[in-house]
Amino acid sequence: MTMMTQLEAIRCGLSEEMRRDSSVFIIGEDVGLYGGVFGLTGPIWKEFGDDRVMDTPISELTIVGAGVGAAMLGLRPVVEIMFMDFITLAMDPIVNQAAKLRYMTGGKVKVPMVIRMLSGGGLSVSAQHSQSIEAWFAHIPGLKVVAPATAYDGKGLIKSAIRDDNTVIFIEHKLLYKTSDEVPDDDYTVPIGKADIKRVGKDISLITYSGMLPKALAAAHELSEEGIELEVIDLRTLRPLDSATIMESVRRTGKAIVLHEAPLSVGIGAEVSALIMEGAFDYLDAPVVRIAGKEVPSPYNDTLEAQIIPTVEQIVTAARKLRNGM
Amino acid sequence: MGKKSLSTEELVPLYKKMLEIRTLELLIKPLIREGLMRGFSHQSVGQEGVAVGVCSALSDRDYITSNHRGHGHVVAKGADLKRVMAELLGRATGCCGGKGGSMHIADPSLGILGANGIVGAGMPIAVGAALAVKKQGLDSVVACFFGDGAANEGSFHESLNLAAVWRLPVLFICENNLYGMSGPAKKMLPIKDIAIRAKGYGMPGIIGDGNDIEEVHKLTAEAIARAKSGRGPSLLEFKTYRWFGHSVNDAEAYRTREEVEEWKKLCPIHRLRDKLLTRGITQETIEHVESEANAAVEEALEYAKSSPKPEPEAAFRDVYA
Ligand SMILES: Cc1ncc(C[n+]2csc(CCOP(=O)(O)OP(=O)(O)O)c2C)c(N)n1
Ligand SMILES: [Mg+2]
């Protein structure tokens, strides 16, 4: 095992897959010599060069669209889109092409592509560089959507995503890049579609993913000192959702909080909450509680921004209320 | 409508404007280091000639759209230094109330339709603004600033085509500073001059020295005259260079020190200064203008620093759904 940051772990997973399979290549803006906005791909470019880590012009639509075409002919492109906000320029190749080709061709075509992008706020980078729009993709049949929250999951999931024969949207959170945990030295994968219980607890199921995991764990720690035991479920994959793990936990605890940074309305929390209603209604002691980002674009000013992202305090308060039956 | 060439006296305030922009840009790094400014910020040092040259040909009735490297554009178009600085510091008195920051400075009352965090996004907006100008019979043009990198977005191609077929009063102002973030224009474009793309869209494509403010002014004024007489859009490519990294964190591995130094010799501000001196403006006047520019930026900084932060409720204002 090696202690590493999530950024290093994802890099490591990418490099290992590129060594293992010569059809894997990276394509995106400023991924080569510049090394990527946070330096993730720099060392990979050093190892593999321009042929396997390809710098492109600023042309998101065509970068992703070219990924679709290359994947149809058997390559395994890993497309990097920097900030998730820019993916809005490339929705056609994702939603109308990649997600649909396999189905429309009666299974004759595969699109084994990974699209990596950065989500989340907290860096004062304002409304066009801070969004969490994962729900857009999770709404589309034919897309897999993953959002790892740890280094371990980052490496294991990038490997699974690359090996998958279908398009995988791979969401990385800016603030998780510097968080560290133990990562195995040998080859391993984390299955797509499988949630992970990051902390076992008997009182309340707290279901979350991506950038909110550290806050969920901090809240769980704080609450355990006052005798409330949170079970923290990290979804890891947002489509397909691992409803079995959610259901098993909620049936045990009888209480559920769903937490994410993206705005509340029509978010992943709404889906998870509905699933619980359908699959564990008789076990619930109280309605499902949702905690989510506020329904506004991200403001530049940091104190304003801090107000729109869920806090540990909010989770703690919600959990206390739920426990006390209020 | 801007005259095609400016008198020496008319150049003096432009010299001051360029200095204000440079002085403001030079404050960015220290402000970020001190923690007074946050987020991403892109400086336009070295490119002041384009911003001021273009805007000097525009009137108060004209509009601009800008990009991520927009401080110079908005100041050149007349944005109040105090309110720009306050925005950079995220204060309530900023032109966007502290909610936009460096990449989103806007002031529609001055025709500044906004800087932008999305590369290429300003071009379609400029086309729409020009459509509104035309439909409403206004005597205005829309100048749209973008980079060499943005010329590879689909929005560039679609915008040029639509503006041309509808003969809209748009000036597509490409600041070719030779790089995107790191991507060299040499590798990202199969052509040396972006202006030749204009031919494919049936509009004039004009190349100018972006570090020569007189040339920038003159070419812009000519394009404005074309637009206002109903002859439609133009693509103006100004060759220039950004002296600093793409943003505040940039190792600049994609270019050499020597290249940067060569371009610094072509400083648009020094070139205008030399011209003014040879054309009879006194050293004293020059120095006076320089100290005025410094004082204006200094005053703006003090104003920003002493301005209140936005009240918490501001985060929830101006969202309509
Ligand atoms: C749609 C989109 N893609 C990528 C980016 C990231 N990005 C910001 S500025 C930039 C380079 C832009 O280059 P250019 O248009 O030449 O302007 P310059 O920075 O040289 O002024 C890139 C890639 C972005 N902000 N928006
Ligand atoms: Mg450029």
Side-chain angles (χ1 to χ4, degrees), chain B residues 25 31 47 59 73 75 87 103 131 142 146 152 172 190 201 220 233 264 281 291 310-311 315:
Chain B
E25 296 287 35
L31 285 171
Q47 303 182 198
S59 80
H73 308 147
V75 169
E87 189 58 36
M103 285 188 287
L131 177 64
V142 186
F146 60 97
N152 291 326
F172 293 98
Y201 298 106
T220 305
K264 282 187 176 175
I281 301 291
S291 69
E311 46 187 8

Side-chain angles (χ1 to χ4, degrees), chain B residues 147-149 175-180 242:
Chain B
D148 47 287
E175 291 184 269
N176 186 347
N177 62 7
L178 307 187
Y179 296 92
R242 68 165 153 77

Side-chain angles (χ1 to χ4, degrees), chain B residues 8-21:
Chain B
T8 304
E9 281 65 37
E10 285 171 321
L11 284 169
V12 176
L14 305 189
Y15 178 63
K16 182 174 165 197
K17 214 26 128 197
M18 285 204 284
L19 279 171
E20 286 176 355
I21 295 169

Side-chain angles (χ1 to χ4, degrees), chain A residues 30 59-60 124 128 300-301, chain B residues 38 88 90 104 117 152-153 182:
Chain A
D30 308 285
S59 313
E60 290 76 13
S124 288
Q128 296 174 341
Y300 164 59
N301 177 283
Chain B
R38 295 174 52 86
L88 296 179
H104 304 291
N152 291 326
E153 286 283 16
S182 69

Side-chain angles (χ1 to χ4, degrees), chain A residues 93-251:
Chain A
I94 299 175
V95 176
N96 295 323
Q97 315 304 329
K100 310 243 187 317
L101 275 161
R102 187 163 192 158
Y103 185 83
M104 291 189 302
T105 59
K108 293 196 176 60
V109 160
K110 289 188 292 190
V111 187
M113 166 173 63
V114 180
I115 312 177
R116 296 179 42 239
M117 56 190 93
L118 277 160
S119 74
L123 290 181
S124 288
V125 289
S126 321
Q128 296 174 341
H129 284 71
S130 305
Q131 295 174 83
S132 300
I133 52 174
E134 57 274 9
W136 292 24
F137 302 103
H139 189 66
I140 303 297
L143 288 179
K144 296 185 180 182
V145 183
V146 302
T150 62
Y152 177 92
D153 290 337
K155 180 170 173 186
L157 277 168
I158 194 71
K159 283 173 167 265
S160 292
I162 291 171
R163 294 178 195 184
D164 200 291
D165 275 344
N166 303 290
T167 299
V168 180
I169 307 292
F170 194 90
I171 299 166
E172 299 161 29
H173 192 289
K174 303 173 186 81
L175 298 188
L176 292 174
Y177 268 175
K178 287 186 180 160
T179 61
S180 303
D181 49 85
E182 297 271 2
V183 174
D185 298 315
D186 43 318
D187 188 37
Y188 73 98
T189 58
V190 168
I192 292 174
K194 193 85 196 73
D196 184 39
I197 298 178
K198 287 286 191 304
R199 180 184 173 117
V200 179
K202 62 179 184 5
D203 296 325
I204 300 171
S205 303
L206 173 54
I207 301 137
T208 192
Y209 60 91
S210 191
M212 285 296 117
L213 180 68
K215 289 188 179 176
L217 291 171
H221 182 77
E222 200 175 320
L223 286 159
S224 117
E225 284 168 7
E226 45 190 90
I228 304 175
E229 295 302 335
L230 286 190
E231 175 142 301
V232 179
I233 299 175
D234 176 3
L235 290 172
R236 300 194 295 194
T237 297
L238 306 178
R239 185 186 185 99
L241 271 175
D242 179 2
S243 88
T245 299
I246 300 169
M247 245 34 89
E248 188 281 320
S249 174
V250 175
R251 284 176 186 165

Side-chain angles (χ1 to χ4, degrees), chain B residues 14-302:
Chain B
L14 305 189
Y15 178 63
K16 182 174 165 197
K17 214 26 128 197
M18 285 204 284
L19 279 171
E20 286 176 355
I21 295 169
R22 174 147 318 171
T23 313
L24 179 142
E25 296 287 35
L26 291 173
L27 285 173
I28 305 289
K29 250 181 219 174
L31 285 171
I32 288 178
R33 218 179 296 122
E34 287 170 50
L36 276 165
M37 230 185 110
R38 295 174 52 86
F40 297 148
S41 193
H42 311 89
Q43 296 145 287
S44 66
V45 172
Q47 303 182 198
E48 298 90 345
V50 183
V52 178
V54 167
C55 291
S56 66
L58 299 174
S59 80
D60 291 350
R61 293 184 305 278
D62 297 327
Y63 296 90
I64 63 165
T65 64
S66 169
N67 60 0
H68 57 285
R69 202 175 301 288
H71 305 158
H73 308 147
V74 301
V75 169
K77 185 66 175 64
D80 181 359
L81 277 175
K82 293 201 189 89
R83 305 203 61 204
V84 170
M85 195 58 99
E87 189 58 36
L88 296 179
L89 268 55
R91 303 303 165 112
T93 53
C95 34
C96 306
K99 284 156 72 170
S102 170
M103 285 188 287
H104 304 291
I105 295 174
D107 192 339
S109 70
L110 298 166
I112 301 166
L113 300 178
N116 215 306
I118 302 298
V119 168
M123 290 180 265
I125 294 174
V127 170
L131 177 64
V133 163
K134 192 168 179 179
K135 276 183 177 287
Q136 296 172 85
L138 305 177
D139 181 33
S140 307
V141 298
V142 186
C144 158
F145 291 97
F146 60 97
D148 47 287
N152 291 326
E153 286 283 16
S155 62
F156 166 86
H157 299 273
E158 296 182 19
S159 296
L160 263 71
N161 184 59
L162 192 55
V165 293
W166 285 349
R167 288 190 166 262
L168 298 175
V170 189
L171 274 55
F172 293 98
I173 310 285
C174 180
E175 291 184 269
N176 186 347
N177 62 7
L178 307 187
Y179 296 92
M181 226 161 99
S182 69
K186 259 189 262 172
K187 282 195 190 162
M188 296 301 153
L189 293 147
I191 46 175
K192 190 170 141 284
D193 300 316
I194 291 162
I196 70 166
R197 289 187 171 174
K199 193 166 166 56
Y201 298 106
M203 69 174 79
I206 294 135
I207 299 168
D209 176 351
N211 290 7
D212 177 349
I213 190 165
E214 285 185 288
E215 183 168 320
V216 174
H217 176 93
K218 178 173 159 286
L219 296 174
T220 305
E222 286 166 6
I224 293 171
R226 271 195 301 280
K228 289 202 171 171
S229 63
R231 282 175 290 156
S234 305
L235 170 59
L236 280 72
E237 175 185 7
F238 292 116
K239 310 281 189 186
T240 185
Y241 199 78
R242 68 165 153 77
W243 290 11
F244 292 179
H246 168 72
S247 66
V248 173
N249 298 313
D250 180 355
E252 296 179 57
Y254 49 86
R255 64 185 187 182
T256 64
R257 258 294 112 205
E258 293 72 45
E259 181 182 280
V260 179
E261 293 309 319
E262 276 311 303
W263 274 92
K264 282 187 176 175
K265 290 182 194 154
L266 300 171
C267 173
I269 298 183
H270 285 172
R271 280 168 71 185
L272 181 57
R273 189 180 202 269
D274 291 346
K275 273 187 194 169
L276 293 176
L277 286 169
T278 52
R279 292 184 200 164
I281 301 291
T282 63
Q283 180 76 27
E284 208 185 342
T285 306
I286 295 280
E287 280 168 17
H288 179 68
V289 166
E290 288 167 353
S291 69
E292 275 186 346
N294 264 325
V297 176
E298 198 57 41
E299 193 190 344
L301 181 60
E302 284 317 309

